[in-house]
Amino acid sequence: MLETERYREAMELLQFLLQCQGQDERQLEEWESLLGWLQTTFPEATYSQQTMAQMESEPEEAPDNEQLMRDKVRLKQAEDRQYEEKLLKTAMELPVSERTLLALEQLSYLEQPQIDEQIVDWLQQDGQLHPLIQFRVLQTLRRRGHRGNVHYMHRNERVDVDVETVPLDPTEFPLSFIQILERVSDKAEISAPNLFYFAQELWSQFIMSIFGTQDYLYISRGDDAEIDVWAAALHQTVAETLEGSSDEEETRTLYGVTDSIRFRYEQAYRALQQFVSGQIPR
């Protein structure tokens, strides 16, 4: 910390150490001496520490990012009468890009009610939309306060979704989705610690892409066997992606996937493989 001039952090660490019980008396004296030297030599770091403590005890009200975005969109509307039409066109144009996601976010803050109808029509009629974009569209509808059910084709499956149930952040997904990740974390912690990081990223994208489908409903029920097969399928998919190959039988054994649920495991594995093969940038 001293070599990188992180004096305030060094002071905080020393103060913490001095509060610890059972330390050698000589060690405590060295820490006290070093702390005193730092406070004398770098008084500005001491001041910063006091200032931060005051800020923590009296936090200022954080700016409302949502309101800032809403005001920004309203300003653009005032400057350009065709802004709404341009934004819809940008959101719907192909190929999908970061501009698509940005346009969808901005559409959340336009107040014209007819936009909902246009977005729903686009979702229902465009059979080429990637499932992740379909989910982003649903999130836009929920942010706009749209109520009721929306149906559309998810690949070859008809999906019927209550817009008010669309998750806006990971904490709003059913507990079973989190339990699958926890299962992978437990199993991979010793044998393949790097695997979990990639599994977490893939899973967060995948569960958005299957929202409202039969697979999503199966997982939502929280059945132990369902959690086992999806955790095993996720582990196997990531292991193959990272290493090029992986012992599938060993993975199934690790997660307790018996012959009675092997067919369901294979379905889950194929669903993950299909998503990976059609992955798009966020």
Side-chain angles (χ1 to χ4, degrees), residues 202-263:
L202 173 59
W203 190 242
S204 68
Q205 297 292 297
F206 178 72
I207 61 177
M208 290 190 289
S209 77
I210 64 168
F211 180 76
T213 64
Q214 281 299 315
D215 280 336
Y216 186 90
L217 297 177
Y218 287 145
I219 299 172
S220 300
R221 294 170 184 170
D223 178 80
D224 284 341
E226 196 72 19
I227 291 173
D228 286 337
V229 300
W230 281 100
L234 177 61
H235 186 127
Q236 181 66 19
T237 299
V238 176
E240 289 178 351
T241 302
L242 294 177
E243 302 168 11
S245 63
S246 182
D247 189 331
E248 187 177 48
E249 184 176 353
E250 182 179 328
T251 302
R252 292 199 309 270
T253 302
L254 183 65
Y255 287 88
V257 176
T258 60
D259 290 342
S260 63
I261 56 175
R262 180 171 176 175
F263 177 70

Side-chain angles (χ1 to χ4, degrees), residues 6-29:
R6 292 153 55 198
Y7 304 122
R8 182 178 58 79
E9 292 180 52
M11 291 182 195
E12 291 176 347
L13 176 59
L14 287 167
Q15 288 176 336
F16 169 77
L17 291 172
L18 287 169
Q19 294 173 1
C20 297
Q21 303 296 321
Q23 300 299 323
D24 181 80
E25 190 67 30
R26 183 180 302 174
Q27 187 73 69
L28 291 172
E29 290 177 0

Side-chain angles (χ1 to χ4, degrees), residues 174-184 222-224 227 231:
L175 178 61
S176 51
F177 286 92
I178 299 173
Q179 291 174 326
I180 288 170
L181 262 187
E182 290 176 344
R183 191 74 54 90
V184 174
D223 178 80
D224 284 341
I227 291 173

Side-chain angles (χ1 to χ4, degrees), residues 44-79:
E44 68 280 2
T46 306
Y47 173 77
S48 300
Q49 187 178 18
Q50 293 170 344
T51 302
M52 288 193 64
Q54 184 177 1
M55 290 174 62
E56 290 175 0
S57 62
E58 300 178 4
E60 295 182 5
E61 186 175 341
D64 188 339
N65 291 331
E66 184 173 335
Q67 187 59 47
L68 289 175
M69 178 62 78
R70 193 179 300 278
D71 292 341
K72 181 179 179 181
V73 169
R74 285 176 179 173
L75 179 61
K76 289 185 177 180
Q77 279 185 287
E79 295 173 346

Side-chain angles (χ1 to χ4, degrees), residues 116-178:
D116 285 13
E117 183 178 348
Q118 292 175 279
I119 293 175
V120 171
D121 286 344
W122 170 44
L123 179 64
Q124 293 177 336
Q125 295 175 15
D126 192 337
Q128 302 302 313
L129 278 182
H130 188 282
L132 270 179
I133 298 301
Q134 291 178 330
F135 182 77
R136 300 290 190 183
V137 172
L138 292 172
Q139 286 185 317
T140 297
L141 287 171
R142 184 185 168 190
R143 289 191 179 101
R144 291 183 52 77
H146 186 82
R147 296 181 179 275
N149 286 11
V150 173
H151 66 83
Y152 58 94
M153 293 302 297
H154 179 283
R155 294 198 169 102
N156 296 321
E157 178 183 351
R158 177 188 161 112
V159 174
D160 200 322
V161 169
D162 180 355
V163 174
E164 293 179 77
T165 67
V166 178
L168 295 180
D169 64 67
T171 63
E172 294 187 15
F173 284 95
L175 178 61
S176 51
F177 286 92
I178 299 173

